[in-house]
Amino acid sequence: MLEKLFQLQAHGTSVRTEVIAGLTTFLTMAYIIFVNPMMMADAGIDPGAAFVATCLAAAIGSLIMGLWANYPIALAPGMGLNAFFSYTVVGSMGYSWQVALGAVFISGFLFFLLSIFKVREWIINSIPMALRSAIAAGIGLFLALIALKNAGLVVDHPATLLTLGDLTQPAPLLAGLGFAVIVALAYRQVTGAVMIGILLITGISLLAGFTEATGVVSAPPSLAPTFLELDIRGAMEIGMISVIFAFLFVDLFDTSGTLIGVAQRANLVEADGKLPRLGRALMADSTATMAGAAMGTSTTTSYIESAAGTAAGGRTGLTACVVALLFLISLFFSPLAGAVPAFATAPALLFVAVLMTGGLVQVDWEDLTVAAPVVITAITMPLTFSIANGIALGFISWTLIKLLAGRWRDLNPSLYALAALFIIKLALFN
């Protein structure tokens, strides 16, 4: 049955190899079980329900990717987009989490339509690579600010807006230790480095009495507080257009980049450079986003950590199915997730931020018409606490600077259209 479903022999793999690859991928991304519910709780969502929604969204997305698209790629609620959901859409813009979930669902539906009608290639090709790198880096810096805030390393100040926190407190010290451990383990290529760092700091916190645990294993919490509570009608107002676009835009490029990167590492790319079953993979991602929104979590997307599984030999969708099973098993460990303090997950956020800002090395810093919009895009996201604002000002500045510099040949109709839409949005609906 497994051979018929996944074509193991044709891909030069075995059930044992796929199971090991699935376990490897799960260990590298399981930190989301602890991080995402905490971030959803900051938006007012019941943390128990958010925990269940996180595990179920990851399991459903990974199952669809494995069974339908036959790719060794796992899915879960995406880092960066969950921060945008909680701290920008709900926190700064003042929308309810129900409306924010409605926006996530609509973005997933639009992604599904783009996948069906194959508009994806046109959108991706029309956006300059440097601007894509800037958006990823900006999200990374946004996550870094949240991480430093959660760790108590950065606090507010009436004169300077931000300042260094009290380093005599246990939270910033333990967070710093956790970050150092994660980076060192990742450098040594230890599987599950992020997970180990989170659990280590949580263990120290429990032993020192900084936090308490009510247990390790229990029945899953109720999903009722969030199940089908999304407000799609409320998300369709004019002011939410940029929010929906931000969810869609970031998910589109995250997924495309992950699919290409993981497929290349796993030697799944065809001779002509195309990805087999690409449409199915994209539809699996968008379907998982809609399912996750219906259950109560932010955008579900493909995880680049899946590359760890392919490095362990994963070549088929059986790898993703193993990840899905492990996320379902994780449903019974909610007390452990509840015992993880914010300063234990902060190092994970900061580590992800480091990885996301790495794309800036691809930017041509000698070309000021490229460097200036990239910097504006990247720094606007953390400083305005909004991914949407960073994307908007990035497109506007890119188009305006290129025009004034006489580099209009570098522009295309979609850049003009997007810049105009963002100007209208910022002027009238900000």
Side-chain angles (χ1 to χ4, degrees), residues 11 27 49 69-70 115 134 139 142 173 191 194 208 220 246-248 268 277 314 324 346 352 362 376 399 402:
H11 287 88
L27 288 175
N70 199 20
S115 303
I139 295 173
F142 186 40
L173 295 176
T191 300
V194 177
F247 279 129
L248 171 64
L268 298 175
R277 306 176 303 282
V352 173
Q362 302 173 3
I376 290 171
T399 305
K402 290 286 186 181

Side-chain angles (χ1 to χ4, degrees), residues 81-389:
L81 287 172
N82 51 7
F84 176 56
F85 179 100
S86 294
Y87 304 117
T88 299
V89 182
V90 177
S92 297
M93 300 177 71
Y95 289 102
S96 68
W97 58 263
Q98 292 91 341
V99 170
L101 286 176
V104 171
F105 184 90
I106 294 171
S107 71
F109 180 69
L110 292 175
F111 193 175
F112 187 82
L113 292 179
L114 292 177
S115 303
I116 291 177
F117 295 110
K118 300 182 179 180
V119 185
R120 181 191 66 90
E121 289 82 359
W122 175 78
I123 293 177
I124 291 177
N125 292 334
S126 66
I127 309 303
M129 181 61 73
L131 207 49
R132 288 184 240 168
S133 299
I135 291 169
I139 295 173
L141 294 174
F142 186 40
L143 287 176
L145 180 59
I146 294 169
L148 295 174
K149 172 180 172 292
N150 289 349
L153 281 162
V154 169
V155 296
D156 63 323
H157 191 280
T160 61
L161 297 182
L162 298 175
T163 191
L164 186 66
D166 185 357
L167 298 185
T168 63
Q169 295 298 311
L173 295 176
L174 287 174
L177 173 63
F179 179 69
V181 168
I182 289 172
V183 172
L185 291 178
Y187 175 77
R188 291 174 176 269
Q189 298 182 335
V190 175
T191 300
V194 177
M195 185 81 163
I196 293 171
I198 292 175
L199 293 178
L200 173 65
I201 300 305
T202 300
I204 294 174
S205 177
L206 290 170
L207 291 174
F210 301 137
T211 53
E212 296 180 357
T214 57
V216 177
V217 179
S218 74
S222 173
L223 189 61
T226 57
F227 184 63
L228 295 181
E229 290 295 319
L230 66 170
D231 184 359
I232 296 176
R233 179 177 295 179
M236 295 180 73
E237 67 171 71
I238 192 74
M240 288 293 287
I241 291 178
S242 65
V243 171
I244 293 171
F245 179 82
F247 279 129
L248 171 64
F249 189 84
V250 175
D251 189 22
L252 177 66
F253 285 105
D254 268 2
T255 301
S256 300
T258 297
L259 286 172
I260 294 169
V262 174
Q264 286 177 339
R265 294 186 191 187
N267 296 318
L268 298 175
V269 182
E270 294 177 342
D272 58 1
K274 293 182 180 180
L275 296 180
R277 306 176 303 282
L278 176 59
R280 290 190 178 192
L282 293 171
M283 283 186 269
D285 191 287
S286 54
T287 302
T289 291
M290 291 187 282
M295 288 183 289
T297 187
S298 56
T299 304
T300 303
T301 189
S302 302
Y303 262 56
I304 192 62
E305 283 87 347
S306 302
T310 60
R315 294 294 181 270
T316 73
L318 181 55
T319 295
C321 291
V322 171
V323 175
L325 177 62
L326 292 171
F327 270 112
L328 290 176
I329 294 173
S330 300
L331 285 168
F332 298 94
F333 292 87
S334 60
L336 180 61
V340 178
F343 57 78
T345 57
L349 291 176
L350 192 56
F351 178 69
V352 173
V354 171
L355 300 181
M356 294 186 75
T357 52
L360 291 178
V361 298
Q362 302 173 3
V363 175
D364 182 5
W365 294 103
E366 298 297 322
D367 186 347
L368 286 177
T369 67
V370 170
V374 164
V375 171
I376 290 171
T377 304
I379 67 172
T380 298
M381 291 187 190
L383 294 182
T384 65
F385 230 63
S386 171
I387 292 173
N389 286 342

Side-chain angles (χ1 to χ4, degrees), residues 366-429:
E366 298 297 322
D367 186 347
L368 286 177
T369 67
V370 170
V374 164
V375 171
I376 290 171
T377 304
I379 67 172
T380 298
M381 291 187 190
L383 294 182
T384 65
F385 230 63
S386 171
I387 292 173
N389 286 342
I391 292 174
L393 292 180
F395 275 96
I396 293 170
S397 61
W398 183 281
T399 305
L400 184 60
I401 289 172
K402 290 286 186 181
L403 272 177
L404 295 177
R407 298 273 295 276
W408 55 269
R409 290 184 181 84
D410 294 346
L411 302 172
N412 55 59
S414 61
L415 286 173
Y416 287 114
L418 289 171
L421 285 174
F422 281 128
I423 289 173
I424 294 171
K425 191 269 173 187
L426 292 176
L428 301 178
F429 306 108

